[in-house]
Amino acid sequence: MGEDMSDGHQNDGHENVPSRQRRRFPGISSRAYEHPADRSALVALRKLSGFDTVFKALSGLLPERSLRLLFLSDSVRVSDQQFAHLNDMLRDACYILDLEKVPPMYVNQDPVPNAMCIGLDEPIIVVTTGLVELLDEEEMRAVIGHEVGHALSGHAVYRTILLFLTSLAVRVAWIPLGNLAIMAIVTALREWFRKSELSADRAGLLVGQDLKASMRGLMKIAGGNHLHEMNVDAFLKQAEEYEAGGDLRDSVLKILNVLPRSHPFTTVRAAELKKWAESRDFQRIMDGHYPRRSEDKDTSVTDSLRESASHYATHVKSSKDPLMKLVTDIAGGAGDLGGRVRRGFGGFTSAPPRDEPGSDGTGTDGADGPGDAGSKN
């Protein structure tokens, strides 16, 4: 069962627990909060041709010691003496998620709000001054929980590879794969990392246990420190409009817009997190019913992939995006696909026009009427 935390409690070196009671999750497995799309994208990434070559090459290119020395020399190490309040939050997060070894955390001078968990052997957490100055205590607690979630899931090594392939491309040009192969791996890494952010957002909620704070933090990352000018409901409505709005051209533009990004769009993250917070899965974790790390070795990869496939199928079927609705229509063998193509992109935004009864003897065909697949969810 999950355990409550209260002030003054100490355990395994994790002191300074939160100022209010929070549930902790002894032995929790990252499987408890990992988004199905995260797991399936990671499986696809590992199977990508050439990935092993890049992984081995970069592992030898920059030893872990060099990475740590870089941050020790040009950032501030969080401790009891420096950024003590962040150190308390880091210990709290590790205590709640039962991460045995508290990873080192650094504050880096950068006005852009950002945080990352990197490292090839052991995770290192880095937060920017822009983020520290932007968020309040509860919002920051969720962000640190987010990064500890990355650490518990083992995401740091893949994030590091993405970092090197995108910012140090000249230095890795000698890897014997060619530019197209490297681009394919970078694209796959970005696709996985966007999905892994959804997992880490869930971990942040398990640590902060304050959905409003998580929502506020995402809103601030999107719109700055102007909460008095923003509204959570309106912010979430943006995500709904983003998913459903436009025609097929907009669906293609959405894909092109997201490809170069390492993070999902902020409104989408907020909507996904709120949906999970209202789910039975989240409530079961809060009640103490969750997968344990001790059971990880017995977990079936097939079951994990089946769950991921089921998630994708459900997502496509329920999506309001015009492209996803088209996929559903084609899969169902319904709808006047040829007619829609002839009418151009605009033909994908609504059901085909209905013929007048008696005009050619086909006006009563149900496939072209209000009940056609284009109007189904």
Side-chain angles (χ1 to χ4, degrees), residues 192-363:
W192 160 74
F193 192 73
R194 287 191 294 270
K195 300 300 188 290
S196 77
E197 286 294 282
L198 302 178
S199 296
D201 284 343
R202 294 177 173 186
L205 180 59
L206 289 177
V207 167
Q209 298 174 27
D210 185 342
L211 180 61
K212 291 182 179 179
S214 293
M215 293 290 110
R216 289 199 312 268
L218 289 169
M219 287 173 62
K220 284 185 175 180
I221 290 172
N225 195 12
H226 304 283
L227 280 178
H228 62 288
E229 299 284 356
M230 295 185 278
N231 177 275
V232 172
D233 291 336
F235 187 65
L236 292 172
K237 189 169 179 14
Q238 288 180 221
E240 185 177 338
E241 290 179 13
Y242 171 79
E243 182 185 1
D247 56 20
L248 189 60
R249 286 168 297 189
D250 293 316
S251 297
V252 174
L253 288 174
K254 290 175 190 177
I255 295 172
L256 294 177
N257 285 339
V258 82
L259 280 178
R261 294 174 59 92
S262 62
H263 289 60
F265 291 116
T266 317
T267 54
V268 175
R269 290 174 61 185
E272 283 283 334
L273 185 60
K274 184 173 185 293
K275 188 187 307 179
W276 187 67
E278 295 170 348
S279 71
R280 176 59 181 157
D281 288 341
F282 175 73
Q283 190 56 56
R284 283 182 57 81
I285 295 174
M286 295 303 296
D287 289 341
H289 304 292
Y290 51 82
R292 261 64 173 182
R293 267 167 259 167
S294 58
E295 304 163 352
D296 284 351
K297 63 182 182 300
D298 301 321
T299 303
S300 168
V301 175
T302 303
D303 290 343
S304 179
L305 290 176
R306 188 181 297 114
E307 180 183 353
S308 300
S310 174
H311 163 78
Y312 272 123
T314 302
H315 172 72
V316 169
K317 187 174 182 180
S318 63
S319 176
K320 298 176 183 177
D321 183 278
L323 181 58
M324 293 298 101
K325 288 181 72 65
L326 174 61
V327 170
T328 305
D329 287 357
I330 295 173
D336 177 23
L337 181 59
R340 294 188 186 195
V341 171
R342 286 193 297 272
R343 288 192 301 276
F345 281 108
F348 293 104
T349 61
S350 60
R354 191 174 183 178
D355 294 329
E356 290 298 326
S359 61
D360 60 1
T362 60

Side-chain angles (χ1 to χ4, degrees), residues 62-111:
L62 188 73
E64 192 79 7
R65 184 181 297 273
S66 298
L67 193 63
R68 293 176 184 275
L69 287 174
L70 174 64
F71 287 107
L72 280 172
S73 64
D74 205 28
S75 301
V76 175
R77 170 81 176 265
V78 171
S79 66
D80 287 331
Q81 291 77 40
Q82 302 184 119
F83 290 100
H85 71 294
L86 296 182
N87 196 45
D88 291 346
M89 292 183 198
L90 176 62
R91 289 177 175 178
D92 295 342
C94 293
Y95 181 66
I96 290 171
L97 294 181
D98 202 14
L99 188 65
E100 293 182 4
K101 186 173 183 180
V102 179
M105 184 162 74
Y106 298 88
V107 176
N108 181 252
Q109 170 61 27
D110 187 341

